[in-house]
Amino acid sequence: MKVIYTAKDMQELSIQLQRQGKTIGFVPTMGFLHEGHLALLKQARAENDVVVLSIFVNPTQFGPNEDFDTYPRDFKRDERLAKAEEADYLFYPSVDEMYPGQASISISVTNRVDVLCGAKRPGHFDGVATVLTKLFHLVQPKRAYFGKKDAQQVAVVHGLITDFKFPIELVAVDTVREDDGLAKSSRNVNLLDAERNEAPALYRSLQEAKQLVESGERDVATIKAQIERTIKNNTRGTIDYVAIYSYPELEPLNKLDGQFIIALAIQFSKARLIDNIIMAI
Ligand code: AMP
């Protein structure tokens, strides 16, 4: 596996690979790799000639009071794990490399961002769309792999690829979980021990909601109230949101219908965790 540090080297490589007729599978991440990222890498490995992993903690997707500085980083470990998954190239640019000087263009996501994390993290998806636009131009993938854990991100990336005509297939991969149900996340290491013990209640509350739906409940307010009760009774976290929307449109629902997402975000002392399930009736 080769590590690439500059945008120029990355783009030259992908142009060369394109000329050779090789398909590139791309897994963009912020590093501190866990089995969720590795599932994306495995699928990319199975479906493409060449696998490119990027590790870049993107400052423009963090708000001023968010955890950019304390976001966990361990490049040497990531490099080992990526190599073990047989990634071919690891693109690891610096902030200056991705954002040299004053920007002349800003990308602003206009659809599906006034709900969920988009509403709670103003500018977050603008930063995601901006960095992905740059990364897509540099890596020129045929397929790009994203986790359903960040389901709103999947919807936004779908909009980016469609609107800007990127010749890229978006592949959405199921959420990988710990044995106790907690969705794997780089941020889990920032949970205090007691919070880590409580955190499985997030997925448990979503499973309870699923059971309610399966037993015939269709009222969104009732389902949300049940989730909120479980979170409040079992964790010291603060509820940022518990929400149900149509998916992938992310439009409000009073009564369940069609495909929908049940999503939550819980703020612990040093980590904000998100999780969701997508169901259809
Ligand atoms: P991140 O490094 O957190 O930006 O995540 C990079 C990619 O990995 C994103 O597409 C995430 O949705 C995906 N991802 C993160 N956690 C998981 C997980 N537990 N299961 C599957 N994919 C994940």
Side-chain angles (χ1 to χ4, degrees), residues 49-72:
D49 298 327
V50 175
V51 173
V52 177
L53 165 74
S54 67
I55 295 182
F56 181 62
V57 185
N58 174 35
T60 65
Q61 70 189 66
F62 287 79
N65 298 316
E66 294 183 0
D67 57 351
F68 178 74
D69 291 331
T70 55
Y71 197 85

PDB file of all heavy atoms in Angstrom, residues 49-72:
ATOM      1  N   ASP A  49     -10.977  -2.727  -9.146  1.00  0.00           N
ATOM      2  CA  ASP A  49      -9.596  -3.131  -9.400  1.00  0.00           C
ATOM      3  C   ASP A  49      -8.649  -2.503  -8.380  1.00  0.00           C
ATOM      4  O   ASP A  49      -7.685  -3.117  -7.949  1.00  0.00           O
ATOM      5  CB  ASP A  49      -9.144  -2.655 -10.799  1.00  0.00           C
ATOM      6  CG  ASP A  49      -9.999  -3.283 -11.900  1.00  0.00           C
ATOM      7  OD1 ASP A  49     -10.431  -4.444 -11.717  1.00  0.00           O
ATOM      8  OD2 ASP A  49     -10.242  -2.614 -12.919  1.00  0.00           O
ATOM      9  N   VAL A  50      -8.926  -1.251  -8.050  1.00  0.00           N
ATOM     10  CA  VAL A  50      -8.023  -0.491  -7.181  1.00  0.00           C
ATOM     11  C   VAL A  50      -8.846   0.128  -6.050  1.00  0.00           C
ATOM     12  O   VAL A  50      -9.944   0.626  -6.285  1.00  0.00           O
ATOM     13  CB  VAL A  50      -7.321   0.639  -7.989  1.00  0.00           C
ATOM     14  CG1 VAL A  50      -6.480   1.520  -7.086  1.00  0.00           C
ATOM     15  CG2 VAL A  50      -6.475   0.043  -9.108  1.00  0.00           C
ATOM     16  N   VAL A  51      -8.299   0.081  -4.822  1.00  0.00           N
ATOM     17  CA  VAL A  51      -8.999   0.684  -3.677  1.00  0.00           C
ATOM     18  C   VAL A  51      -8.185   1.861  -3.135  1.00  0.00           C
ATOM     19  O   VAL A  51      -6.996   1.724  -2.824  1.00  0.00           O
ATOM     20  CB  VAL A  51      -9.226  -0.355  -2.552  1.00  0.00           C
ATOM     21  CG1 VAL A  51      -9.805   0.309  -1.307  1.00  0.00           C
ATOM     22  CG2 VAL A  51     -10.146  -1.467  -3.034  1.00  0.00           C
ATOM     23  N   VAL A  52      -8.842   3.015  -3.056  1.00  0.00           N
ATOM     24  CA  VAL A  52      -8.226   4.204  -2.462  1.00  0.00           C
ATOM     25  C   VAL A  52      -8.989   4.541  -1.185  1.00  0.00           C
ATOM     26  O   VAL A  52     -10.214   4.690  -1.205  1.00  0.00           O
ATOM     27  CB  VAL A  52      -8.272   5.416  -3.419  1.00  0.00           C
ATOM     28  CG1 VAL A  52      -7.685   6.651  -2.744  1.00  0.00           C
ATOM     29  CG2 VAL A  52      -7.542   5.111  -4.730  1.00  0.00           C
ATOM     30  N   LEU A  53      -8.245   4.650  -0.091  1.00  0.00           N
ATOM     31  CA  LEU A  53      -8.810   5.103   1.188  1.00  0.00           C
ATOM     32  C   LEU A  53      -8.289   6.514   1.413  1.00  0.00           C
ATOM     33  O   LEU A  53      -7.098   6.765   1.192  1.00  0.00           O
ATOM     34  CB  LEU A  53      -8.315   4.178   2.306  1.00  0.00           C
ATOM     35  CG  LEU A  53      -8.483   4.668   3.742  1.00  0.00           C
ATOM     36  CD1 LEU A  53      -9.941   4.590   4.173  1.00  0.00           C
ATOM     37  CD2 LEU A  53      -7.625   3.837   4.702  1.00  0.00           C
ATOM     38  N   SER A  54      -9.155   7.437   1.838  1.00  0.00           N
ATOM     39  CA  SER A  54      -8.611   8.740   2.244  1.00  0.00           C
ATOM     40  C   SER A  54      -8.836   8.919   3.734  1.00  0.00           C
ATOM     41  O   SER A  54      -9.848   8.460   4.301  1.00  0.00           O
ATOM     42  CB  SER A  54      -9.239   9.898   1.457  1.00  0.00           C
ATOM     43  OG  SER A  54     -10.597  10.041   1.789  1.00  0.00           O
ATOM     44  N   ILE A  55      -7.865   9.556   4.368  1.00  0.00           N
ATOM     45  CA  ILE A  55      -7.981   9.932   5.778  1.00  0.00           C
ATOM     46  C   ILE A  55      -7.741  11.428   5.850  1.00  0.00           C
ATOM     47  O   ILE A  55      -6.653  11.917   5.522  1.00  0.00           O
ATOM     48  CB  ILE A  55      -6.958   9.175   6.649  1.00  0.00           C
ATOM     49  CG1 ILE A  55      -7.287   7.674   6.624  1.00  0.00           C
ATOM     50  CG2 ILE A  55      -6.965   9.722   8.077  1.00  0.00           C
ATOM     51  CD1 ILE A  55      -6.373   6.818   7.484  1.00  0.00           C
ATOM     52  N   PHE A  56      -8.790  12.145   6.227  1.00  0.00           N
ATOM     53  CA  PHE A  56      -8.679  13.603   6.303  1.00  0.00           C
ATOM     54  C   PHE A  56      -9.725  14.103   7.293  1.00  0.00           C
ATOM     55  O   PHE A  56     -10.929  13.947   7.060  1.00  0.00           O
ATOM     56  CB  PHE A  56      -8.913  14.228   4.914  1.00  0.00           C
ATOM     57  CG  PHE A  56      -8.792  15.722   4.914  1.00  0.00           C
ATOM     58  CD1 PHE A  56      -7.592  16.340   5.258  1.00  0.00           C
ATOM     59  CD2 PHE A  56      -9.874  16.528   4.585  1.00  0.00           C
ATOM     60  CE1 PHE A  56      -7.472  17.731   5.272  1.00  0.00           C
ATOM     61  CE2 PHE A  56      -9.771  17.919   4.594  1.00  0.00           C
ATOM     62  CZ  PHE A  56      -8.568  18.513   4.930  1.00  0.00           C
ATOM     63  N   VAL A  57      -9.261  14.640   8.407  1.00  0.00           N
ATOM     64  CA  VAL A  57     -10.193  15.239   9.368  1.00  0.00           C
ATOM     65  C   VAL A  57     -10.486  16.640   8.830  1.00  0.00           C
ATOM     66  O   VAL A  57      -9.636  17.535   8.900  1.00  0.00           O
ATOM     67  CB  VAL A  57      -9.611  15.259  10.801  1.00  0.00           C
ATOM     68  CG1 VAL A  57     -10.658  15.785  11.777  1.00  0.00           C
ATOM     69  CG2 VAL A  57      -9.181  13.853  11.224  1.00  0.00           C
ATOM     70  N   ASN A  58     -11.667  16.764   8.254  1.00  0.00           N
ATOM     71  CA  ASN A  58     -11.997  17.937   7.435  1.00  0.00           C
ATOM     72  C   ASN A  58     -12.480  19.095   8.304  1.00  0.00           C
ATOM     73  O   ASN A  58     -13.610  19.062   8.798  1.00  0.00           O
ATOM     74  CB  ASN A  58     -13.092  17.517   6.443  1.00  0.00           C
ATOM     75  CG  ASN A  58     -13.613  18.693   5.658  1.00  0.00           C
ATOM     76  OD1 ASN A  58     -12.859  19.614   5.333  1.00  0.00           O
ATOM     77  ND2 ASN A  58     -14.897  18.669   5.353  1.00  0.00           N
ATOM     78  N   PRO A  59     -11.663  20.146   8.465  1.00  0.00           N
ATOM     79  CA  PRO A  59     -12.058  21.214   9.394  1.00  0.00           C
ATOM     80  C   PRO A  59     -13.359  21.907   9.015  1.00  0.00           C
ATOM     81  O   PRO A  59     -14.082  22.367   9.902  1.00  0.00           O
ATOM     82  CB  PRO A  59     -10.881  22.203   9.318  1.00  0.00           C
ATOM     83  CG  PRO A  59     -10.119  21.853   8.084  1.00  0.00           C
ATOM     84  CD  PRO A  59     -10.372  20.406   7.806  1.00  0.00           C
ATOM     85  N   THR A  60     -13.683  21.972   7.707  1.00  0.00           N
ATOM     86  CA  THR A  60     -14.862  22.762   7.318  1.00  0.00           C
ATOM     87  C   THR A  60     -16.191  22.087   7.664  1.00  0.00           C
ATOM     88  O   THR A  60     -17.238  22.708   7.526  1.00  0.00           O
ATOM     89  CB  THR A  60     -14.848  23.095   5.803  1.00  0.00           C
ATOM     90  OG1 THR A  60     -14.966  21.873   5.060  1.00  0.00           O
ATOM     91  CG2 THR A  60     -13.579  23.814   5.393  1.00  0.00           C
ATOM     92  N   GLN A  61     -16.143  20.818   8.105  1.00  0.00           N
ATOM     93  CA  GLN A  61     -17.411  20.197   8.497  1.00  0.00           C
ATOM     94  C   GLN A  61     -17.629  20.201  10.006  1.00  0.00           C
ATOM     95  O   GLN A  61     -18.603  19.646  10.490  1.00  0.00           O
ATOM     96  CB  GLN A  61     -17.546  18.792   7.907  1.00  0.00           C
ATOM     97  CG  GLN A  61     -16.620  17.755   8.496  1.00  0.00           C
ATOM     98  CD  GLN A  61     -16.669  16.459   7.711  1.00  0.00           C
ATOM     99  OE1 GLN A  61     -16.275  16.398   6.554  1.00  0.00           O
ATOM    100  NE2 GLN A  61     -17.165  15.386   8.340  1.00  0.00           N
ATOM    101  N   PHE A  62     -16.701  20.845  10.733  1.00  0.00           N
ATOM    102  CA  PHE A  62     -16.846  20.977  12.185  1.00  0.00           C
ATOM    103  C   PHE A  62     -17.259  22.405  12.518  1.00  0.00           C
ATOM    104  O   PHE A  62     -16.682  23.360  11.986  1.00  0.00           O
ATOM    105  CB  PHE A  62     -15.510  20.706  12.886  1.00  0.00           C
ATOM    106  CG  PHE A  62     -15.106  19.259  12.900  1.00  0.00           C
ATOM    107  CD1 PHE A  62     -14.540  18.672  11.780  1.00  0.00           C
ATOM    108  CD2 PHE A  62     -15.285  18.479  14.041  1.00  0.00           C
ATOM    109  CE1 PHE A  62     -14.155  17.335  11.781  1.00  0.00           C
ATOM    110  CE2 PHE A  62     -14.905  17.136  14.053  1.00  0.00           C
ATOM    111  CZ  PHE A  62     -14.338  16.563  12.917  1.00  0.00           C
ATOM    112  N   GLY A  63     -18.233  22.555  13.416  1.00  0.00           N
ATOM    113  CA  GLY A  63     -18.623  23.877  13.893  1.00  0.00           C
ATOM    114  C   GLY A  63     -17.588  24.385  14.890  1.00  0.00           C
ATOM    115  O   GLY A  63     -16.742  23.629  15.366  1.00  0.00           O
ATOM    116  N   PRO A  64     -17.660  25.694  15.219  1.00  0.00           N
ATOM    117  CA  PRO A  64     -16.668  26.312  16.123  1.00  0.00           C
ATOM    118  C   PRO A  64     -16.608  25.652  17.508  1.00  0.00           C
ATOM    119  O   PRO A  64     -15.545  25.621  18.123  1.00  0.00           O
ATOM    120  CB  PRO A  64     -17.113  27.772  16.219  1.00  0.00           C
ATOM    121  CG  PRO A  64     -18.421  27.879  15.496  1.00  0.00           C
ATOM    122  CD  PRO A  64     -18.625  26.641  14.682  1.00  0.00           C
ATOM    123  N   ASN A  65     -17.740  25.133  17.988  1.00  0.00           N
ATOM    124  CA  ASN A  65     -17.710  24.516  19.320  1.00  0.00           C
ATOM    125  C   ASN A  65     -17.727  22.997  19.261  1.00  0.00           C
ATOM    126  O   ASN A  65     -18.076  22.332  20.227  1.00  0.00           O
ATOM    127  CB  ASN A  65     -18.893  25.011  20.160  1.00  0.00           C
ATOM    128  CG  ASN A  65     -18.809  26.499  20.356  1.00  0.00           C
ATOM    129  OD1 ASN A  65     -17.730  27.032  20.642  1.00  0.00           O
ATOM    130  ND2 ASN A  65     -19.919  27.192  20.159  1.00  0.00           N
ATOM    131  N   GLU A  66     -17.356  22.450  18.117  1.00  0.00           N
ATOM    132  CA  GLU A  66     -17.360  20.997  17.989  1.00  0.00           C
ATOM    133  C   GLU A  66     -15.957  20.422  18.233  1.00  0.00           C
ATOM    134  O   GLU A  66     -15.041  21.145  18.634  1.00  0.00           O
ATOM    135  CB  GLU A  66     -17.922  20.608  16.617  1.00  0.00           C
ATOM    136  CG  GLU A  66     -19.408  20.985  16.516  1.00  0.00           C
ATOM    137  CD  GLU A  66     -20.059  20.563  15.213  1.00  0.00           C
ATOM    138  OE1 GLU A  66     -19.368  19.972  14.354  1.00  0.00           O
ATOM    139  OE2 GLU A  66     -21.247  20.847  15.043  1.00  0.00           O
ATOM    140  N   ASP A  67     -15.832  19.106  17.962  1.00  0.00           N
ATOM    141  CA  ASP A  67     -14.662  18.377  18.475  1.00  0.00           C
ATOM    142  C   ASP A  67     -13.524  18.192  17.460  1.00  0.00           C
ATOM    143  O   ASP A  67     -12.842  17.177  17.483  1.00  0.00           O
ATOM    144  CB  ASP A  67     -15.119  17.016  19.020  1.00  0.00           C
ATOM    145  CG  ASP A  67     -15.865  16.182  17.963  1.00  0.00           C
ATOM    146  OD1 ASP A  67     -16.172  16.730  16.884  1.00  0.00           O
ATOM    147  OD2 ASP A  67     -16.140  14.998  18.232  1.00  0.00           O
ATOM    148  N   PHE A  68     -13.289  19.198  16.612  1.00  0.00           N
ATOM    149  CA  PHE A  68     -12.187  19.061  15.635  1.00  0.00           C
ATOM    150  C   PHE A  68     -10.850  18.774  16.340  1.00  0.00           C
ATOM    151  O   PHE A  68     -10.109  17.878  15.941  1.00  0.00           O
ATOM    152  CB  PHE A  68     -12.071  20.325  14.769  1.00  0.00           C
ATOM    153  CG  PHE A  68     -10.919  20.253  13.798  1.00  0.00           C
ATOM    154  CD1 PHE A  68     -10.992  19.440  12.670  1.00  0.00           C
ATOM    155  CD2 PHE A  68      -9.758  20.975  14.017  1.00  0.00           C
ATOM    156  CE1 PHE A  68      -9.927  19.348  11.777  1.00  0.00           C
ATOM    157  CE2 PHE A  68      -8.684  20.890  13.123  1.00  0.00           C
ATOM    158  CZ  PHE A  68      -8.771  20.077  12.002  1.00  0.00           C
ATOM    159  N   ASP A  69     -10.565  19.520  17.405  1.00  0.00           N
ATOM    160  CA  ASP A  69      -9.258  19.370  18.078  1.00  0.00           C
ATOM    161  C   ASP A  69      -9.144  18.043  18.812  1.00  0.00           C
ATOM    162  O   ASP A  69      -8.060  17.474  18.893  1.00  0.00           O
ATOM    163  CB  ASP A  69      -9.029  20.519  19.076  1.00  0.00           C
ATOM    164  CG  ASP A  69      -8.824  21.830  18.340  1.00  0.00           C
ATOM    165  OD1 ASP A  69      -8.327  21.789  17.189  1.00  0.00           O
ATOM    166  OD2 ASP A  69      -9.189  22.887  18.893  1.00  0.00           O
ATOM    167  N   THR A  70     -10.247  17.566  19.361  1.00  0.00           N
ATOM    168  CA  THR A  70     -10.179  16.326  20.151  1.00  0.00           C
ATOM    169  C   THR A  70     -10.610  15.102  19.338  1.00  0.00           C
ATOM    170  O   THR A  70     -10.698  14.007  19.891  1.00  0.00           O
ATOM    171  CB  THR A  70     -11.084  16.424  21.400  1.00  0.00           C
ATOM    172  OG1 THR A  70     -12.416  16.747  20.971  1.00  0.00           O
ATOM    173  CG2 THR A  70     -10.599  17.484  22.366  1.00  0.00           C
ATOM    174  N   TYR A  71     -10.880  15.296  18.050  1.00  0.00           N
ATOM    175  CA  TYR A  71     -11.239  14.142  17.218  1.00  0.00           C
ATOM    176  C   TYR A  71     -10.065  13.160  17.247  1.00  0.00           C
ATOM    177  O   TYR A  71      -8.915  13.555  17.027  1.00  0.00           O
ATOM    178  CB  TYR A  71     -11.553  14.579  15.779  1.00  0.00           C
ATOM    179  CG  TYR A  71     -12.298  13.500  15.034  1.00  0.00           C
ATOM    180  CD1 TYR A  71     -13.673  13.388  15.141  1.00  0.00           C
ATOM    181  CD2 TYR A  71     -11.612  12.549  14.281  1.00  0.00           C
ATOM    182  CE1 TYR A  71     -14.356  12.367  14.501  1.00  0.00           C
ATOM    183  CE2 TYR A  71     -12.287  11.523  13.644  1.00  0.00           C
ATOM    184  CZ  TYR A  71     -13.660  11.446  13.759  1.00  0.00           C
ATOM    185  OH  TYR A  71     -14.336  10.428  13.140  1.00  0.00           O
ATOM    186  N   PRO A  72     -10.317  11.863  17.537  1.00  0.00           N
ATOM    187  CA  PRO A  72      -9.192  10.938  17.713  1.00  0.00           C
ATOM    188  C   PRO A  72      -8.417  10.702  16.409  1.00  0.00           C
ATOM    189  O   PRO A  72      -9.017  10.632  15.340  1.00  0.00           O
ATOM    190  CB  PRO A  72      -9.864   9.646  18.193  1.00  0.00           C
ATOM    191  CG  PRO A  72     -11.290   9.759  17.810  1.00  0.00           C
ATOM    192  CD  PRO A  72     -11.619  11.214  17.756  1.00  0.00           C
TER     193      PRO A  72
END
